[in-house]
Each structure stands twice: as structure tokens, then as C-alpha cells.
Amino acid sequence: MNIKEAKQQIKYTVQTYLTQDERGQYRIPLSRQRPIFLMGPPGIGKTAIMEQVAQELGVGMVAYSMTHHTRQSAIGLPFIVERTYGGKTYNVSEYTMSEIIASVYDMMEETGWKEGLLFLDEVNCVSETLAPAMLQFLQYKIFGRHQLPEGWVVVAAGNPPEYNSSAREFDIVTWDRLKRIDVSPEFQVWKEYGYQRGIHPAIMTYLEIRQGDFYQVETTAEGKRFVTARGWADLSDSITLYEYHGLPVDVALTVQYLQDPRIAREFAVYYDLFRKYHADYQVDRILDGEAPEELCQRAAAADFDERLALIGLLLDGLFVKMREQTGKERTRRFLFSELKELRNQLAASGKTPAVLLDELLENRRKQIERGTKASALSREEVDAIKNGITLLEKTYSTVQAGKIQTGTELLKALFTALEDLRQEGQKSAEAVGKCLNNAYAFCKKAFPEGQELLILTTELTVNSDSVQFIGKYGCAAYFQYNKDLLLYERQLELWDRLEDIDLDALDLDTL
């Protein structure tokens, strides 16, 4: 199955394993919970989906690469203790706590998460000395004499032998105690992750044209040649920073991440073309509705690869704007929840506004620290909390200056900040909506009979930020083409699942 399907299966398993009965005991006890085992080629995103599962289920996560561990670090170090048996005293070896098990307890103590995922990567590539202890842990969740605490689900991962010469085969007894999920790379699934992560548009459009280059592993006379999803993602980060510093993006860079000379060379050539298209087509002018007629004529006469690159550039410009807009919405939701919390605290605690705000800010800073450490907060959630903290700090400065002295004044000040965010968000949403309509207008004029409008609409449907934006603010052209493409009903189902507080209808009296 692909990585998206695997992620859903993992979520289902974790939800069932963490189900408790009316006495608070897990319906499937730890001893009977089969560890999940992800088997798949390297660099396809196994670790990334584990972080997403932890974030979406609201649990902690501890991750280890088992190839970095020795038998001593996994099961603990031996020490001598005295034991009395049958009236006689003997020296007996015991073991300190496993570093891995200790890390789980540390996570619980430091973050407050009592449930979580223990992700052990490259399990089938451990050393000969560690292999017996590793198999024992997979079967009994015990390293040495120390057991994994209740509420923590084991997820292991490994590479097939054809990708890793040190990989070992498990026997039937071991496999019969695991939930095995075989994962394979698939570009169309990775593309959704790519949009969410902000993968460079040159990479996205190149892979759309040459999907066969997305994942390659080949043995040649010169050795292994390979390209992985991880390689593309890491290359994207480097390209973004190279562009920021004005450094050259050429084959000398691409081959460091795409370890197949042909693919590295061809992408470097395509990147140069992509940059040329970006300069020639003046994408910002198209989105602003100011594209000159000659640009439209050039697009209409271009070959398909150039047209696809142009659509990629338009989409990237739109996605950046939509991502900023959905970020503002998350900040508004955060501030709204804090406003309600402060109102309740003011009514119940009798504390002063300064004390309450100080405690609230400290708790939110700790929330970011704990959530980041436990991999339980997404980057978007962290950004929303940080932006909200910045706004709360401005109000706190006003409180400290003595300009806000009562709880009512504090609530009014925060409500005003919330209203300012709403108005700012409405204005920016209108601007983004115009850009979206301008993109459609340009494509309708340049490609009236082509499939470019199909591509534009389909990609807007794949991207989560655009789904949320269009679901909230609408776009007549998108709805028309989406309906024509028989995507409309499916999209409505997605929007129905989006959690969306109607902040526009709020006033202070209804809090």
C-alpha cells in the first residue's frame, strides 16, 4: 500500500490499542498488542507519517534509529547486587534501565503525555549482539527487566534486504507477533505531502512531468544509484536557501541529494528553464490581473512542458498566499480560545489581569516546548501559538503599563485584537480571492481548449490550504470546473469534515 494508506492503518491500530474500558484499563493489554511493522524502501516518509499520526491523535512520540544502538544501550548496563537464596548470599548481575525505555519515561515526565508512540526505525538492521534483545522486545515489550509503560504503542520499521545489505529476515514466530504493513513509494500520494510541506515548485512540476524519476534504486557497474522522496525534500530545502542567498543551483548541488547522475543533471537543466519561465511570465502580474497580451499569446503557443511549468508557478504563488491566510485563521482560533479561557479564569479565580496573563503566557510557552519535544504539535500549530503569544504579549505590556486594570478592560482589549485580526483576514482573503480568479481568467484566455484548467483545478483540490480557503471564501470559477470534472461532491465531503468556527459572527456579549 502507499504511505497515505499505511498512515490510516496505523491510526486505526493506535486508536484501538488505546481504547479503555469503564475501569480505565486498556481493552487490549500491552502484552497482547502486536507491534506495527512498516516494511518499505528507505526515504519514503515512514518517520514523517509517524509524526503526523502523533499530532493528529494528540499523543507523544519517541523515535530511535536502532542501527545507532548497542546491546548495552538497549537493555542497560550490568551491575552486581547481593541476593539471598536459601539462606545464602550470592552476587547477581542486574541491569540498569534501558536508554530507550528511560527516554519514554523522561518524555512522560517532561511533557505530561502519558500515551504515545515508540517508533523504532531500521529494526531489522541491528547488530548480531542486539538482535536477540530486539526480537524479545518486539514480542514482549521488554528490554532487559524493564517493560514499556502501558499506553505506549510500538511501531517498528525496516528496509527489505534488496535495499539494505545488513537487513535480516525474521522467522515466522516473530512475524506472527507483528502487524506487518508493506509500503511502496507513490508520487501522487507524496504530492499531497509536498504541497503541505512547501516543496519547491520546480521539483513539483518536474516530477509531475517525469514521475518515473520520483523514486529510483538501481545497481550498476559503478555501484548503487538512487533517488528517494527524502532526497527530493531535502533538496527543496537547500534550493530555497540557495535562492535566498543568491547561490547557484546547478548539478553540483543536485547530485548531492539525487544520487543518480542522469536525474540530477536533468533536474538541474529543468530548474534553469523553470527560473527562466518565472522571469519571463511575470507570475505576480498574472495573479494581480495585469498580465500583458503578449504573455497570454506566448503561453498559448508554448509546448506542454512550458505550460505545465507555468501552471506550477501560478499554483505556487496561490499556495503561498493561501497558506498565509489559513495561518491567520489558526491564529484567530487560538486567540479566541484564549479569550474564552481568560473570561472563565477571571470569573472563577479572582486573580488580577496581570497575573492571569502572565500565567497564560507561561503555560503556552511550555505547551510549545512540550509539544515540540513530543512531536505532538505540527509546524502550523506551533506557528499559530507563537503568533498568538506575540499578540498576547502586546496586551500584557499594556497591562503592565497600567492602561488595563480590570478584567472587563482586559477582555475588551483582547476582543478588539480579535476583531482587528478578523478585519485584516477579510481584506487579505479578498486579495487572495482576486488572485485566484485572475489565475483562472488568464488560463481560460490562454488555454481555452487545453487541459491546463483541468490541472489547475485538480491541484487546487489536492492542496489542503486551498481546500480550506475555497471552502470558506468560495471561488465561482473553481466550483464550475470542479463540478465539470465530477470532483464537486467529493470536495463537499472534505469541506464538511473541516472544523471551522464562525468567528465572524462573534461579539463580546456572546462569549
Side-chain angles (χ1 to χ4, degrees):
M1 64 181 68
N2 61 50
I3 200 74
K4 185 177 181 180
E5 294 168 335
K7 172 186 170 182
Q8 193 60 57
Q9 289 299 315
I10 295 169
K11 287 182 68 174
Y12 290 156
T13 301
V14 175
Q15 286 176 304
T16 55
Y17 283 175
L18 298 183
T19 302
Q20 300 180 7
D21 60 22
E22 61 277 3
R23 296 185 299 275
Q25 297 178 332
Y26 293 102
R27 291 183 179 272
I28 302 178
L30 182 65
S31 59
R32 289 176 45 214
Q33 293 178 6
R34 288 192 175 201
I36 304 165
F37 195 100
L38 285 173
M39 178 68 83
I44 63 172
K46 296 188 288 289
T47 303
I49 66 164
M50 294 312 307
E51 293 176 348
Q52 293 171 21
V53 169
Q55 293 160 9
E56 292 172 17
L57 295 182
V59 298
M61 176 175 147
V62 173
Y64 276 100
S65 175
M66 293 309 299
T67 55
H68 300 159
H69 279 273
T70 64
R71 183 175 183 275
Q72 287 75 20
S73 63
I75 69 172
L77 294 171
F79 63 95
I80 305 299
V81 296
E82 289 187 349
R83 294 280 187 251
T84 301
Y85 302 107
K88 293 184 179 180
T89 300
Y90 299 89
N91 290 328
V92 179
S93 294
E94 286 198 2
Y95 288 85
T96 59
M97 180 175 281
S98 159
E99 177 187 325
I100 297 172
I101 301 297
S103 293
V104 173
Y105 281 104
D106 288 341
M107 173 72 73
M108 295 168 67
E109 290 293 325
E110 294 172 11
T111 68
W113 264 275
K114 302 304 180 185
E115 296 178 329
L117 308 175
L118 176 58
F119 179 58
L120 305 177
D121 199 6
E122 299 179 309
V123 163
N124 62 338
C125 302
V126 297
S127 65
E128 290 284 349
T129 57
L130 180 54
M134 191 70 252
L135 296 178
Q136 179 192 42
F137 179 78
L138 291 176
Q139 294 181 24
Y140 304 109
K141 289 83 173 181
I142 294 174
F143 273 132
R145 297 183 60 181
H146 303 282
Q147 187 171 52
L148 186 72
E150 293 273 350
W152 283 76
V153 177
V154 179
V155 184
N159 305 137
E162 59 265 31
Y163 295 101
N164 194 323
S165 59
S166 63
R168 65 184 72 251
E169 274 290 343
F170 291 162
D171 55 34
I172 294 177
V173 174
T174 301
W175 280 126
D176 196 37
R177 288 175 167 83
L178 302 174
K179 288 189 65 169
R180 175 168 173 165
I181 300 176
D182 289 285
V183 190
S184 58
E186 187 175 317
F187 170 68
Q188 292 301 326
V189 171
W190 182 83
K191 183 167 68 173
E192 296 182 36
Y193 162 79
Y195 282 141
Q196 182 181 5
R197 192 180 182 276
I199 296 295
H200 196 282
I203 291 176
M204 299 297 283
T205 53
Y206 174 85
L207 292 177
E208 192 67 56
I209 299 169
R210 304 183 184 184
Q211 296 185 21
D213 289 349
F214 168 60
Y215 199 99
Q216 287 276 350
V217 176
E218 181 183 10
T219 302
T220 68
E222 291 78 23
K224 292 281 188 181
R225 293 182 176 182
F226 60 92
V227 176
T228 68
R230 182 192 296 125
W232 287 112
D234 291 344
L235 175 60
S236 172
D237 293 338
S238 287
I239 290 175
T240 300
L241 291 175
Y242 268 54
E243 290 176 346
Y244 176 79
H245 289 289
L247 302 175
V249 175
D250 52 22
V251 70
L253 171 67
T254 61
V255 77
Q256 297 171 35
Y257 295 92
L258 312 176
Q259 299 189 42
D260 182 307
R262 177 192 65 81
I263 296 176
R265 182 173 58 255
E266 291 182 1
F267 174 72
V269 171
Y270 178 81
Y271 174 82
D272 288 339
L273 277 175
F274 189 86
R275 293 289 293 174
K276 182 177 183 299
Y277 296 151
H278 188 279
D280 291 350
Y281 278 105
Q282 307 170 56
V283 171
D284 290 340
R285 294 189 67 184
I286 295 176
L287 296 180
D288 290 339
E290 301 173 354
E293 181 63 28
E294 55 266 26
L295 283 186
C296 189
Q297 294 174 357
R298 170 176 173 171
D303 58 27
F304 182 70
D305 285 4
E306 184 172 332
R307 292 183 180 195
L308 193 60
L310 174 57
I311 296 298
L313 288 166
L314 292 172
L315 286 167
D316 182 60
L318 291 170
F319 291 157
V320 169
K321 297 176 186 296
M322 291 174 175
R323 193 176 303 122
E324 291 175 354
Q325 186 66 29
T326 53
K328 291 176 182 178
E329 291 294 330
R330 279 188 288 268
T331 300
R332 286 178 63 205
R333 291 189 179 92
F334 171 80
L335 189 60
F336 174 68
S337 66
E338 300 307 277
L339 183 55
K340 291 198 299 183
E341 177 67 20
L342 279 172
R343 184 204 61 178
N344 296 335
Q345 290 289 329
L346 284 166
S349 68
K351 296 179 181 178
T352 65
V355 171
L356 281 177
L357 264 182
D358 185 56
E359 292 178 351
L360 180 64
L361 287 167
E362 182 62 23
N363 288 336
R364 292 301 168 257
R365 294 186 188 105
K366 289 181 178 179
Q367 179 186 359
I368 292 176
E369 182 180 353
R370 293 194 302 266
T372 302
K373 183 177 181 62
S375 299
L377 290 176
S378 68
R379 181 176 58 183
E380 293 78 13
E381 290 171 323
V382 170
D383 287 343
I385 297 173
K386 286 183 176 179
N387 291 335
I389 287 175
T390 299
L391 292 170
L392 290 172
E393 286 175 338
K394 291 180 180 178
T395 304
Y396 184 58
S397 298
T398 306
V399 172
Q400 288 183 311
K403 297 179 181 179
I404 295 177
Q405 298 182 350
T406 68
T408 301
E409 291 174 341
L410 175 61
L411 291 178
K412 286 183 177 179
L414 290 175
F415 184 82
T416 298
L418 186 63
E419 177 62 17
D420 290 342
L421 279 180
R422 187 194 69 79
Q423 293 181 8
E424 177 188 342
Q426 188 63 40
K427 290 180 180 178
S428 61
E430 291 174 1
V432 176
K434 289 179 180 178
C435 290
L436 181 58
N437 285 319
N438 290 334
Y440 266 102
F442 179 86
C443 290
K444 287 168 65 176
K445 186 175 181 180
F447 319 118
E449 305 297 332
Q451 55 184 314
E452 288 74 17
L453 284 165
L454 163 64
I455 296 171
L456 179 66
T457 303
T458 302
E459 298 307 298
L460 287 168
T461 305
V462 171
N463 184 277
S464 60
D465 291 313
S466 63
V467 167
Q468 293 181 57
F469 178 85
I470 297 172
K472 183 175 179 62
Y473 299 103
C475 174
Y478 172 85
F479 286 131
Q480 181 59 49
Y481 283 97
N482 203 349
K483 194 172 184 179
D484 291 345
L485 297 169
L486 302 179
L487 299 172
Y488 184 68
E489 291 183 2
R490 176 177 176 272
Q491 194 59 47
L492 285 180
E493 292 176 1
L494 290 174
W495 289 336
D496 286 341
R497 297 174 189 172
L498 292 175
E499 296 180 1
D500 189 18
I501 301 173
D502 187 8
L503 300 178
D504 298 344
L506 293 175
D507 59 59
L508 187 58
D509 296 334
T510 61
L511 290 177

